[in-house]
Amino acid sequence: MHNDWNNNRYHSVMIALHWLTALLLIAVYALIELRDIYPKGSEPRELMKMWHFMLGLSVLCVAIARPVVRLIFSVPPITPTPAVWQQHLARLVHLALYVFLVAMPVMGWLTLSAAGKPIPFFGLHLPALLEPNQDLAHNIKEIHETIGVFGYCLIGLHAAAAIFHHHFMRDDTLMRMLPVVCRNRLQR
């Protein structure tokens, strides 16, 4: 395995944005999945939904920042270099992840807009993107929820690929994106 972690790793800003995205996604999914522990219309349930919306919009902000940061900082090569088909597959999965990270929050925003509900964002109320239309809100919400299920699979595939590369391909795919403290523990 490649041991030159300082020269063959992502920039710390890219690593931070990657793991911030992961944490936000965990929170967004947890909030919407766990809301059912409270009855409909209850204050805790509405609070969980509000945080789901706000953190979902935070995912959008981070997703927009990530490609910009990627243009500033170079992507380190994987050592040893994977097969060309694996590189193409990785690009396809990353593209799908970026589309997911942008589309889901936008669809949530569209859902709230069409439902005529406020769009909260940490003390701000964002403008509606659509005129109120309950049928449209329902349809967008259904698509949002369906893509959310697909998101579990996409995120799982991404994580499984990193683990596969680390344990079976024995390359530095995973190590390039781990924070220093995690890399140091895995190197022991």
Side-chain angles (χ1 to χ4, degrees):
M1 213 182 264
H2 195 319
N3 289 320
D4 191 10
W5 304 123
N6 291 330
N7 294 327
N8 200 34
R9 59 186 295 266
Y10 282 92
H11 190 276
S12 58
V13 173
M14 294 175 78
I15 293 170
L17 289 175
H18 177 274
W19 293 106
L20 175 59
T21 303
L23 291 173
L24 286 170
L25 286 173
I26 290 167
V28 165
Y29 272 112
L31 286 163
I32 208 63
E33 294 293 344
L34 296 174
R35 78 188 186 283
D36 290 334
I37 62 177
Y38 297 105
K40 287 188 177 187
S42 68
E43 189 175 324
R45 183 182 175 114
E46 292 305 309
L47 189 61
M48 290 176 86
K49 286 169 48 180
M50 181 184 74
W51 276 100
H52 170 80
F53 300 141
M54 291 191 307
L55 294 179
L57 290 171
S58 297
V59 169
L60 177 62
C61 294
V62 174
I64 291 168
R66 287 181 64 160
V68 173
V69 170
R70 193 171 174 146
L71 289 172
I72 296 168
F73 301 109
S74 63
V75 174
I78 298 172
T79 307
T81 304
V84 172
W85 69 268
Q86 288 178 333
Q87 294 175 47
H88 290 307
L89 184 59
R91 281 189 203 101
L92 184 63
V93 171
H94 280 105
L95 177 62
L97 280 166
Y98 278 110
V99 169
F100 170 77
L101 294 174
V102 171
M104 286 299 284
V106 169
M107 292 182 78
W109 192 344
L110 290 170
T111 300
L112 289 177
S113 298
K117 295 182 178 178
I119 297 93
F121 190 63
F122 300 103
L124 301 173
H125 288 281
L126 301 178
L129 300 177
L130 297 171
E131 293 294 319
N133 178 328
Q134 293 303 315
D135 290 334
L136 182 59
H138 175 76
N139 291 337
I140 296 171
K141 181 180 178 189
E142 290 290 320
I143 295 167
H144 179 78
E145 290 173 355
T146 300
I147 294 173
V149 172
F150 173 71
Y152 281 120
C153 300
L154 192 57
I155 293 163
L157 176 64
H158 178 67
I163 292 167
F164 176 80
H165 274 270
H166 184 72
H167 289 289
F168 297 101
M169 300 296 295
R170 303 270 185 209
D171 63 29
D172 62 354
T173 298
L174 176 64
M175 299 301 280
R176 296 174 318 143
M177 187 52 81
L178 287 179
V180 173
V181 66
C182 296
R183 281 194 326 273
N184 290 343
R185 288 181 186 207
L186 281 175
Q187 285 178 299
R188 291 182 194 163

